[in-house]
Amino acid sequence: MTVRPTETLRGGPRRGRVRRRGRAVPLPLLVPALAGLAFLLLPLIALLLRTPWSTLPEQLTSPGVWQALRLSLVCATAATGLSLLLGVPLAWLLARTDFPGRGLVRALVTLPLVLPPVVGGVALLLALGRNGVVGQWLDDWFGITLPFTTAGVVIAETFVAMPFLVISVEGTLRAADPRFEEAATTLGASRFTAFRRVTLPLIAPGVAAGAVLAWARALGEFGATITFAGNFPGRTQTMPLAVYLALQNDPAAAIALSLVLLAVSIAVLAGLRDRWMTAS
């Protein structure tokens, strides 16, 4: 018995591209799925429809809006840099070392992801405020006061944004082959040199993705910022805080700022589409 090249055994692997047939979606699933999609898209569509496009350039170039935008960009970038400085080594510690209580440490690192931002701001006040556990010593010894300052904005944004970076980098480190790092150490390189020259280039895409997520989260931070740093124009008033304040006095400016934040969010998703939204 001869088998033709075009024939395949039933159940065996097939060569070439296999086309999927469209599957009919059950109505009990289709209706709530479309309702959920409409629920998520309707507010965004309403924002676009109510945007004062004719006066948008004037709104975006007004002193208050530009001030909040500039402060948000500066603080979010500084928070991302601080997250990289502290978060990458922390991710390496969680991924590459085994120590007692590592699971608990990982849970504590990810806690700000689920902690209400206002609670995070209160915790920062209790820790770094003038009468805080550490803040009182910073004030007495070095004259450093963090609450209600621009530095306080950076601290609050770092607190809520760094877990995104740590999770992304730790996942990338776990996927990377540690034998390259071990081979470098057997050739005489120190652990830090092996990390800097071998591991870091391997995980660079994961670090970049985590940095972008942290930057976007820091840019949109509201609760911890207003609790720990306050809402002072030109000093601590970021874009989310300016949106909240403008809703009471100048709704057009609030819409303009919201549109900027929406554009940034879309840009972040577009930049990460190859990593987080791969099509199968």
Side-chain angles (χ1 to χ4, degrees):
M1 176 179 178
T2 60
V3 180
R4 296 180 181 179
T6 57
E7 295 179 355
T8 56
L9 296 176
R10 180 174 299 179
R14 295 183 179 181
R15 296 180 180 179
R17 182 175 296 178
V18 179
R19 296 182 178 178
R20 298 185 186 179
R21 295 182 179 180
R23 297 179 179 178
V25 181
L27 189 61
L29 295 179
L30 180 61
V31 172
L34 294 179
L37 180 62
F39 174 75
L40 294 176
L41 293 181
L42 182 60
L44 304 180
I45 295 174
L47 177 63
L48 295 176
L49 293 177
R50 293 300 179 90
T51 299
W53 297 102
S54 59
T55 61
L56 184 61
E58 180 182 354
Q59 292 289 342
L60 293 179
T61 55
S62 63
V65 172
W66 173 248
Q67 198 175 50
L69 175 60
R70 181 182 59 83
L71 183 64
S72 294
L73 295 176
V74 170
C75 291
T77 303
T80 303
L82 186 57
S83 297
L84 285 169
L85 181 64
L86 303 177
V88 173
L90 179 57
W92 183 89
L93 184 69
L94 293 175
R96 286 286 192 264
T97 60
D98 189 11
F99 56 90
R102 185 175 63 173
L104 177 61
V105 172
R106 182 181 292 109
L108 294 176
V109 168
T110 57
L111 184 61
L113 294 176
V114 296
L115 191 69
V118 175
V119 177
V122 172
L124 287 173
L125 276 176
L126 296 177
L128 300 176
R130 286 188 174 182
N131 296 321
V133 177
V134 177
Q136 60 179 340
W137 305 112
L138 292 177
D139 190 17
D140 293 340
W141 292 356
F142 306 103
I144 298 176
T145 303
L146 293 176
F148 309 109
T149 62
T150 304
V153 177
V154 176
I155 294 297
E157 292 180 351
T158 304
F159 179 77
V160 299
M162 190 167 64
F164 289 88
L165 175 73
V166 173
I167 290 176
S168 177
V169 176
E170 184 189 359
T172 307
L173 279 167
R174 290 185 177 277
D177 195 340
R179 289 178 297 179
F180 294 106
E181 191 174 340
E182 295 172 358
T185 57
T186 57
L187 294 175
S190 64
R191 296 288 290 179
F192 178 71
T193 302
F195 169 78
R196 182 171 56 89
R197 301 293 297 272
V198 178
T199 307
L200 195 57
L202 288 175
I203 65 172
V207 173
V212 172
L213 288 174
W215 185 83
R217 180 63 184 90
L219 189 69
E221 167 52 30
F222 176 82
T225 302
I226 196 172
T227 306
F228 183 65
N231 185 18
F232 301 100
R235 190 171 65 181
T236 64
Q237 187 181 90
T238 58
M239 283 199 295
L241 274 63
V243 170
Y244 177 78
L245 184 63
L247 276 175
Q248 306 174 22
N249 304 319
D250 190 0
I255 295 175
L257 279 170
S258 300
L259 190 63
V260 172
L261 291 175
L262 176 62
V264 170
S265 302
I266 293 176
V268 169
L269 289 178
L272 295 177
R273 67 184 185 279
D274 293 333
R275 181 172 180 81
W276 301 111
M277 296 182 292
T278 55
S280 57

PDB file of all heavy atoms in Angstrom, residues 92 96 173 176-187 189-205:
ATOM      1  N   TRP A  92      15.393  41.036  39.475  1.00  0.00           N
ATOM      2  CA  TRP A  92      16.459  40.031  39.385  1.00  0.00           C
ATOM      3  C   TRP A  92      16.534  39.223  40.682  1.00  0.00           C
ATOM      4  O   TRP A  92      16.727  38.008  40.650  1.00  0.00           O
ATOM      5  CB  TRP A  92      17.795  40.717  39.113  1.00  0.00           C
ATOM      6  CG  TRP A  92      18.933  39.770  38.927  1.00  0.00           C
ATOM      7  CD1 TRP A  92      19.358  39.200  37.759  1.00  0.00           C
ATOM      8  CD2 TRP A  92      19.800  39.263  39.964  1.00  0.00           C
ATOM      9  NE1 TRP A  92      20.441  38.372  38.001  1.00  0.00           N
ATOM     10  CE2 TRP A  92      20.721  38.388  39.340  1.00  0.00           C
ATOM     11  CE3 TRP A  92      19.882  39.469  41.330  1.00  0.00           C
ATOM     12  CZ2 TRP A  92      21.715  37.731  40.046  1.00  0.00           C
ATOM     13  CZ3 TRP A  92      20.865  38.799  42.050  1.00  0.00           C
ATOM     14  CH2 TRP A  92      21.771  37.946  41.406  1.00  0.00           C
ATOM     15  N   ARG A  96      16.058  35.299  40.233  1.00  0.00           N
ATOM     16  CA  ARG A  96      17.314  34.549  40.151  1.00  0.00           C
ATOM     17  C   ARG A  96      17.810  34.002  41.481  1.00  0.00           C
ATOM     18  O   ARG A  96      18.728  33.191  41.500  1.00  0.00           O
ATOM     19  CB  ARG A  96      18.400  35.440  39.552  1.00  0.00           C
ATOM     20  CG  ARG A  96      18.266  35.670  38.059  1.00  0.00           C
ATOM     21  CD  ARG A  96      18.661  34.413  37.289  1.00  0.00           C
ATOM     22  NE  ARG A  96      18.818  34.682  35.868  1.00  0.00           N
ATOM     23  CZ  ARG A  96      17.886  34.490  34.967  1.00  0.00           C
ATOM     24  NH1 ARG A  96      16.702  34.038  35.355  1.00  0.00           N
ATOM     25  NH2 ARG A  96      18.106  34.734  33.685  1.00  0.00           N
ATOM     26  N   LEU A 173      12.954  37.683  32.956  1.00  0.00           N
ATOM     27  CA  LEU A 173      14.111  36.995  33.519  1.00  0.00           C
ATOM     28  C   LEU A 173      13.848  35.502  33.672  1.00  0.00           C
ATOM     29  O   LEU A 173      14.744  34.677  33.439  1.00  0.00           O
ATOM     30  CB  LEU A 173      14.467  37.606  34.877  1.00  0.00           C
ATOM     31  CG  LEU A 173      15.284  38.899  34.843  1.00  0.00           C
ATOM     32  CD1 LEU A 173      15.294  39.554  36.215  1.00  0.00           C
ATOM     33  CD2 LEU A 173      16.702  38.621  34.381  1.00  0.00           C
ATOM     34  N   ALA A 176      14.244  33.922  30.320  1.00  0.00           N
ATOM     35  CA  ALA A 176      15.599  33.926  29.779  1.00  0.00           C
ATOM     36  C   ALA A 176      16.389  32.742  30.329  1.00  0.00           C
ATOM     37  O   ALA A 176      16.206  32.317  31.475  1.00  0.00           O
ATOM     38  CB  ALA A 176      16.299  35.238  30.115  1.00  0.00           C
ATOM     39  N   ASP A 177      17.276  32.224  29.507  1.00  0.00           N
ATOM     40  CA  ASP A 177      18.085  31.071  29.895  1.00  0.00           C
ATOM     41  C   ASP A 177      19.207  31.523  30.839  1.00  0.00           C
ATOM     42  O   ASP A 177      20.068  32.312  30.451  1.00  0.00           O
ATOM     43  CB  ASP A 177      18.700  30.426  28.653  1.00  0.00           C
ATOM     44  CG  ASP A 177      19.242  29.043  28.935  1.00  0.00           C
ATOM     45  OD1 ASP A 177      19.488  28.729  30.121  1.00  0.00           O
ATOM     46  OD2 ASP A 177      19.440  28.265  27.981  1.00  0.00           O
ATOM     47  N   PRO A 178      19.221  31.039  32.085  1.00  0.00           N
ATOM     48  CA  PRO A 178      20.269  31.477  33.029  1.00  0.00           C
ATOM     49  C   PRO A 178      21.638  30.886  32.721  1.00  0.00           C
ATOM     50  O   PRO A 178      22.635  31.302  33.324  1.00  0.00           O
ATOM     51  CB  PRO A 178      19.736  30.991  34.379  1.00  0.00           C
ATOM     52  CG  PRO A 178      18.888  29.806  34.047  1.00  0.00           C
ATOM     53  CD  PRO A 178      18.271  30.113  32.719  1.00  0.00           C
ATOM     54  N   ARG A 179      21.722  29.924  31.785  1.00  0.00           N
ATOM     55  CA  ARG A 179      23.014  29.305  31.517  1.00  0.00           C
ATOM     56  C   ARG A 179      23.989  30.277  30.866  1.00  0.00           C
ATOM     57  O   ARG A 179      25.206  30.135  31.017  1.00  0.00           O
ATOM     58  CB  ARG A 179      22.815  28.079  30.621  1.00  0.00           C
ATOM     59  CG  ARG A 179      22.139  26.902  31.329  1.00  0.00           C
ATOM     60  CD  ARG A 179      21.913  25.740  30.410  1.00  0.00           C
ATOM     61  NE  ARG A 179      20.994  26.085  29.312  1.00  0.00           N
ATOM     62  CZ  ARG A 179      20.638  25.241  28.357  1.00  0.00           C
ATOM     63  NH1 ARG A 179      21.134  24.000  28.348  1.00  0.00           N
ATOM     64  NH2 ARG A 179      19.785  25.611  27.414  1.00  0.00           N
ATOM     65  N   PHE A 180      23.479  31.264  30.130  1.00  0.00           N
ATOM     66  CA  PHE A 180      24.376  32.259  29.560  1.00  0.00           C
ATOM     67  C   PHE A 180      25.072  33.061  30.673  1.00  0.00           C
ATOM     68  O   PHE A 180      26.271  33.339  30.597  1.00  0.00           O
ATOM     69  CB  PHE A 180      23.595  33.203  28.646  1.00  0.00           C
ATOM     70  CG  PHE A 180      23.047  32.538  27.419  1.00  0.00           C
ATOM     71  CD1 PHE A 180      21.692  32.258  27.314  1.00  0.00           C
ATOM     72  CD2 PHE A 180      23.878  32.190  26.374  1.00  0.00           C
ATOM     73  CE1 PHE A 180      21.183  31.645  26.188  1.00  0.00           C
ATOM     74  CE2 PHE A 180      23.377  31.572  25.232  1.00  0.00           C
ATOM     75  CZ  PHE A 180      22.024  31.297  25.143  1.00  0.00           C
ATOM     76  N   GLU A 181      24.299  33.406  31.679  1.00  0.00           N
ATOM     77  CA  GLU A 181      24.867  34.132  32.812  1.00  0.00           C
ATOM     78  C   GLU A 181      25.858  33.271  33.578  1.00  0.00           C
ATOM     79  O   GLU A 181      26.923  33.747  33.992  1.00  0.00           O
ATOM     80  CB  GLU A 181      23.733  34.604  33.726  1.00  0.00           C
ATOM     81  CG  GLU A 181      24.141  35.579  34.805  1.00  0.00           C
ATOM     82  CD  GLU A 181      22.943  36.101  35.573  1.00  0.00           C
ATOM     83  OE1 GLU A 181      21.814  36.021  35.050  1.00  0.00           O
ATOM     84  OE2 GLU A 181      23.140  36.601  36.696  1.00  0.00           O
ATOM     85  N   GLU A 182      25.541  31.982  33.738  1.00  0.00           N
ATOM     86  CA  GLU A 182      26.437  31.080  34.435  1.00  0.00           C
ATOM     87  C   GLU A 182      27.717  30.857  33.640  1.00  0.00           C
ATOM     88  O   GLU A 182      28.818  30.754  34.216  1.00  0.00           O
ATOM     89  CB  GLU A 182      25.725  29.751  34.692  1.00  0.00           C
ATOM     90  CG  GLU A 182      24.536  29.869  35.642  1.00  0.00           C
ATOM     91  CD  GLU A 182      23.734  28.587  35.721  1.00  0.00           C
ATOM     92  OE1 GLU A 182      24.108  27.626  35.002  1.00  0.00           O
ATOM     93  OE2 GLU A 182      22.747  28.544  36.477  1.00  0.00           O
ATOM     94  N   ALA A 183      27.601  30.787  32.312  1.00  0.00           N
ATOM     95  CA  ALA A 183      28.792  30.620  31.484  1.00  0.00           C
ATOM     96  C   ALA A 183      29.712  31.825  31.607  1.00  0.00           C
ATOM     97  O   ALA A 183      30.942  31.687  31.628  1.00  0.00           O
ATOM     98  CB  ALA A 183      28.382  30.412  30.024  1.00  0.00           C
ATOM     99  N   ALA A 184      29.139  33.017  31.687  1.00  0.00           N
ATOM    100  CA  ALA A 184      29.960  34.219  31.829  1.00  0.00           C
ATOM    101  C   ALA A 184      30.713  34.214  33.162  1.00  0.00           C
ATOM    102  O   ALA A 184      31.881  34.618  33.223  1.00  0.00           O
ATOM    103  CB  ALA A 184      29.091  35.468  31.714  1.00  0.00           C
ATOM    104  N   THR A 185      30.056  33.738  34.221  1.00  0.00           N
ATOM    105  CA  THR A 185      30.732  33.694  35.522  1.00  0.00           C
ATOM    106  C   THR A 185      31.842  32.652  35.538  1.00  0.00           C
ATOM    107  O   THR A 185      32.877  32.855  36.189  1.00  0.00           O
ATOM    108  CB  THR A 185      29.717  33.397  36.634  1.00  0.00           C
ATOM    109  OG1 THR A 185      29.032  32.160  36.343  1.00  0.00           O
ATOM    110  CG2 THR A 185      28.687  34.517  36.740  1.00  0.00           C
ATOM    111  N   THR A 186      31.666  31.534  34.832  1.00  0.00           N
ATOM    112  CA  THR A 186      32.730  30.525  34.774  1.00  0.00           C
ATOM    113  C   THR A 186      33.936  31.018  33.991  1.00  0.00           C
ATOM    114  O   THR A 186      35.052  30.531  34.192  1.00  0.00           O
ATOM    115  CB  THR A 186      32.203  29.234  34.130  1.00  0.00           C
ATOM    116  OG1 THR A 186      31.690  29.531  32.818  1.00  0.00           O
ATOM    117  CG2 THR A 186      31.097  28.625  34.976  1.00  0.00           C
ATOM    118  N   LEU A 187      33.728  31.996  33.118  1.00  0.00           N
ATOM    119  CA  LEU A 187      34.834  32.573  32.353  1.00  0.00           C
ATOM    120  C   LEU A 187      35.532  33.712  33.098  1.00  0.00           C
ATOM    121  O   LEU A 187      36.420  34.359  32.535  1.00  0.00           O
ATOM    122  CB  LEU A 187      34.334  33.065  30.996  1.00  0.00           C
ATOM    123  CG  LEU A 187      33.834  31.988  30.036  1.00  0.00           C
ATOM    124  CD1 LEU A 187      33.259  32.614  28.774  1.00  0.00           C
ATOM    125  CD2 LEU A 187      34.964  31.023  29.685  1.00  0.00           C
ATOM    126  N   ALA A 189      33.901  36.397  34.774  1.00  0.00           N
ATOM    127  CA  ALA A 189      33.140  37.625  34.990  1.00  0.00           C
ATOM    128  C   ALA A 189      32.455  37.579  36.350  1.00  0.00           C
ATOM    129  O   ALA A 189      32.033  36.514  36.814  1.00  0.00           O
ATOM    130  CB  ALA A 189      32.103  37.806  33.891  1.00  0.00           C
ATOM    131  N   SER A 190      32.353  38.738  36.979  1.00  0.00           N
ATOM    132  CA  SER A 190      31.630  38.822  38.245  1.00  0.00           C
ATOM    133  C   SER A 190      30.136  38.715  37.981  1.00  0.00           C
ATOM    134  O   SER A 190      29.675  38.830  36.839  1.00  0.00           O
ATOM    135  CB  SER A 190      31.951  40.131  38.959  1.00  0.00           C
ATOM    136  OG  SER A 190      31.494  41.239  38.186  1.00  0.00           O
ATOM    137  N   ARG A 191      29.363  38.512  39.052  1.00  0.00           N
ATOM    138  CA  ARG A 191      27.918  38.389  38.886  1.00  0.00           C
ATOM    139  C   ARG A 191      27.317  39.666  38.320  1.00  0.00           C
ATOM    140  O   ARG A 191      26.433  39.621  37.467  1.00  0.00           O
ATOM    141  CB  ARG A 191      27.277  38.064  40.238  1.00  0.00           C
ATOM    142  CG  ARG A 191      27.686  36.741  40.826  1.00  0.00           C
ATOM    143  CD  ARG A 191      27.094  35.570  40.100  1.00  0.00           C
ATOM    144  NE  ARG A 191      25.658  35.457  40.321  1.00  0.00           N
ATOM    145  CZ  ARG A 191      24.884  34.526  39.775  1.00  0.00           C
ATOM    146  NH1 ARG A 191      25.420  33.638  38.952  1.00  0.00           N
ATOM    147  NH2 ARG A 191      23.598  34.479  40.023  1.00  0.00           N
ATOM    148  N   PHE A 192      27.830  40.807  38.768  1.00  0.00           N
ATOM    149  CA  PHE A 192      27.303  42.068  38.260  1.00  0.00           C
ATOM    150  C   PHE A 192      27.701  42.292  36.808  1.00  0.00           C
ATOM    151  O   PHE A 192      26.898  42.761  36.001  1.00  0.00           O
ATOM    152  CB  PHE A 192      27.803  43.231  39.113  1.00  0.00           C
ATOM    153  CG  PHE A 192      27.342  44.573  38.628  1.00  0.00           C
ATOM    154  CD1 PHE A 192      26.017  44.956  38.767  1.00  0.00           C
ATOM    155  CD2 PHE A 192      28.227  45.451  38.010  1.00  0.00           C
ATOM    156  CE1 PHE A 192      25.575  46.191  38.311  1.00  0.00           C
ATOM    157  CE2 PHE A 192      27.797  46.683  37.558  1.00  0.00           C
ATOM    158  CZ  PHE A 192      26.474  47.059  37.701  1.00  0.00           C
ATOM    159  N   THR A 193      28.931  41.931  36.449  1.00  0.00           N
ATOM    160  CA  THR A 193      29.358  42.068  35.061  1.00  0.00           C
ATOM    161  C   THR A 193      28.563  41.148  34.150  1.00  0.00           C
ATOM    162  O   THR A 193      28.171  41.532  33.041  1.00  0.00           O
ATOM    163  CB  THR A 193      30.858  41.769  34.937  1.00  0.00           C
ATOM    164  OG1 THR A 193      31.596  42.663  35.781  1.00  0.00           O
ATOM    165  CG2 THR A 193      31.329  41.920  33.511  1.00  0.00           C
ATOM    166  N   ALA A 194      28.296  39.926  34.618  1.00  0.00           N
ATOM    167  CA  ALA A 194      27.484  39.002  33.824  1.00  0.00           C
ATOM    168  C   ALA A 194      26.074  39.533  33.634  1.00  0.00           C
ATOM    169  O   ALA A 194      25.495  39.414  32.549  1.00  0.00           O
ATOM    170  CB  ALA A 194      27.445  37.633  34.504  1.00  0.00           C
ATOM    171  N   PHE A 195      25.543  40.136  34.682  1.00  0.00           N
ATOM    172  CA  PHE A 195      24.210  40.714  34.547  1.00  0.00           C
ATOM    173  C   PHE A 195      24.218  41.887  33.570  1.00  0.00           C
ATOM    174  O   PHE A 195      23.347  42.003  32.708  1.00  0.00           O
ATOM    175  CB  PHE A 195      23.703  41.179  35.912  1.00  0.00           C
ATOM    176  CG  PHE A 195      22.464  42.016  35.849  1.00  0.00           C
ATOM    177  CD1 PHE A 195      21.218  41.430  35.659  1.00  0.00           C
ATOM    178  CD2 PHE A 195      22.529  43.402  35.951  1.00  0.00           C
ATOM    179  CE1 PHE A 195      20.065  42.195  35.590  1.00  0.00           C
ATOM    180  CE2 PHE A 195      21.383  44.174  35.882  1.00  0.00           C
ATOM    181  CZ  PHE A 195      20.150  43.572  35.697  1.00  0.00           C
ATOM    182  N   ARG A 196      25.234  42.747  33.691  1.00  0.00           N
ATOM    183  CA  ARG A 196      25.287  43.962  32.864  1.00  0.00           C
ATOM    184  C   ARG A 196      25.599  43.658  31.412  1.00  0.00           C
ATOM    185  O   ARG A 196      25.029  44.267  30.508  1.00  0.00           O
ATOM    186  CB  ARG A 196      26.324  44.916  33.448  1.00  0.00           C
ATOM    187  CG  ARG A 196      26.457  46.229  32.712  1.00  0.00           C
ATOM    188  CD  ARG A 196      27.344  47.184  33.490  1.00  0.00           C
ATOM    189  NE  ARG A 196      28.645  46.606  33.769  1.00  0.00           N
ATOM    190  CZ  ARG A 196      29.699  46.709  32.942  1.00  0.00           C
ATOM    191  NH1 ARG A 196      29.565  47.354  31.786  1.00  0.00           N
ATOM    192  NH2 ARG A 196      30.853  46.174  33.253  1.00  0.00           N
ATOM    193  N   ARG A 197      26.481  42.687  31.156  1.00  0.00           N
ATOM    194  CA  ARG A 197      26.937  42.437  29.786  1.00  0.00           C
ATOM    195  C   ARG A 197      26.179  41.317  29.090  1.00  0.00           C
ATOM    196  O   ARG A 197      26.190  41.257  27.854  1.00  0.00           O
ATOM    197  CB  ARG A 197      28.434  42.091  29.808  1.00  0.00           C
ATOM    198  CG  ARG A 197      29.327  43.164  30.408  1.00  0.00           C
ATOM    199  CD  ARG A 197      29.356  44.406  29.543  1.00  0.00           C
ATOM    200  NE  ARG A 197      29.923  44.135  28.251  1.00  0.00           N
ATOM    201  CZ  ARG A 197      31.223  44.203  27.973  1.00  0.00           C
ATOM    202  NH1 ARG A 197      32.074  44.558  28.937  1.00  0.00           N
ATOM    203  NH2 ARG A 197      31.673  43.947  26.767  1.00  0.00           N
ATOM    204  N   VAL A 198      25.537  40.433  29.849  1.00  0.00           N
ATOM    205  CA  VAL A 198      24.870  39.266  29.243  1.00  0.00           C
ATOM    206  C   VAL A 198      23.365  39.307  29.479  1.00  0.00           C
ATOM    207  O   VAL A 198      22.569  39.290  28.530  1.00  0.00           O
ATOM    208  CB  VAL A 198      25.463  37.953  29.797  1.00  0.00           C
ATOM    209  CG1 VAL A 198      24.730  36.746  29.201  1.00  0.00           C
ATOM    210  CG2 VAL A 198      26.951  37.879  29.508  1.00  0.00           C
ATOM    211  N   THR A 199      22.970  39.346  30.753  1.00  0.00           N
ATOM    212  CA  THR A 199      21.550  39.233  31.071  1.00  0.00           C
ATOM    213  C   THR A 199      20.769  40.456  30.632  1.00  0.00           C
ATOM    214  O   THR A 199      19.687  40.331  30.043  1.00  0.00           O
ATOM    215  CB  THR A 199      21.367  39.004  32.580  1.00  0.00           C
ATOM    216  OG1 THR A 199      22.155  37.892  32.993  1.00  0.00           O
ATOM    217  CG2 THR A 199      19.908  38.744  32.906  1.00  0.00           C
ATOM    218  N   LEU A 200      21.280  41.630  30.929  1.00  0.00           N
ATOM    219  CA  LEU A 200      20.538  42.847  30.626  1.00  0.00           C
ATOM    220  C   LEU A 200      20.229  42.999  29.133  1.00  0.00           C
ATOM    221  O   LEU A 200      19.096  43.363  28.782  1.00  0.00           O
ATOM    222  CB  LEU A 200      21.295  44.067  31.155  1.00  0.00           C
ATOM    223  CG  LEU A 200      20.514  45.379  31.233  1.00  0.00           C
ATOM    224  CD1 LEU A 200      19.270  45.203  32.090  1.00  0.00           C
ATOM    225  CD2 LEU A 200      21.386  46.492  31.799  1.00  0.00           C
ATOM    226  N   PRO A 201      21.183  42.737  28.212  1.00  0.00           N
ATOM    227  CA  PRO A 201      20.810  42.793  26.787  1.00  0.00           C
ATOM    228  C   PRO A 201      19.747  41.770  26.402  1.00  0.00           C
ATOM    229  O   PRO A 201      18.921  42.033  25.524  1.00  0.00           O
ATOM    230  CB  PRO A 201      22.135  42.523  26.071  1.00  0.00           C
ATOM    231  CG  PRO A 201      23.191  42.939  27.038  1.00  0.00           C
ATOM    232  CD  PRO A 201      22.639  42.585  28.379  1.00  0.00           C
ATOM    233  N   LEU A 202      19.745  40.600  27.072  1.00  0.00           N
ATOM    234  CA  LEU A 202      18.748  39.580  26.750  1.00  0.00           C
ATOM    235  C   LEU A 202      17.346  40.004  27.164  1.00  0.00           C
ATOM    236  O   LEU A 202      16.363  39.697  26.473  1.00  0.00           O
ATOM    237  CB  LEU A 202      19.112  38.255  27.433  1.00  0.00           C
ATOM    238  CG  LEU A 202      20.304  37.482  26.873  1.00  0.00           C
ATOM    239  CD1 LEU A 202      20.582  36.271  27.729  1.00  0.00           C
ATOM    240  CD2 LEU A 202      20.054  37.062  25.424  1.00  0.00           C
ATOM    241  N   ILE A 203      17.238  40.694  28.287  1.00  0.00           N
ATOM    242  CA  ILE A 203      15.922  41.067  28.812  1.00  0.00           C
ATOM    243  C   ILE A 203      15.547  42.500  28.451  1.00  0.00           C
ATOM    244  O   ILE A 203      14.560  43.017  28.978  1.00  0.00           O
ATOM    245  CB  ILE A 203      15.873  40.887  30.338  1.00  0.00           C
ATOM    246  CG1 ILE A 203      16.836  41.867  31.026  1.00  0.00           C
ATOM    247  CG2 ILE A 203      16.189  39.449  30.721  1.00  0.00           C
ATOM    248  CD1 ILE A 203      16.708  41.886  32.528  1.00  0.00           C
ATOM    249  N   ALA A 204      16.308  43.128  27.570  1.00  0.00           N
ATOM    250  CA  ALA A 204      16.040  44.530  27.223  1.00  0.00           C
ATOM    251  C   ALA A 204      14.608  44.763  26.742  1.00  0.00           C
ATOM    252  O   ALA A 204      13.985  45.758  27.127  1.00  0.00           O
ATOM    253  CB  ALA A 204      17.047  45.010  26.187  1.00  0.00           C
ATOM    254  N   PRO A 205      14.024  43.887  25.882  1.00  0.00           N
ATOM    255  CA  PRO A 205      12.623  44.121  25.471  1.00  0.00           C
ATOM    256  C   PRO A 205      11.652  44.117  26.647  1.00  0.00           C
ATOM    257  O   PRO A 205      10.725  44.935  26.699  1.00  0.00           O
ATOM    258  CB  PRO A 205      12.339  42.967  24.501  1.00  0.00           C
ATOM    259  CG  PRO A 205      13.678  42.572  23.984  1.00  0.00           C
ATOM    260  CD  PRO A 205      14.619  42.763  25.127  1.00  0.00           C
TER     261      PRO A 205
END
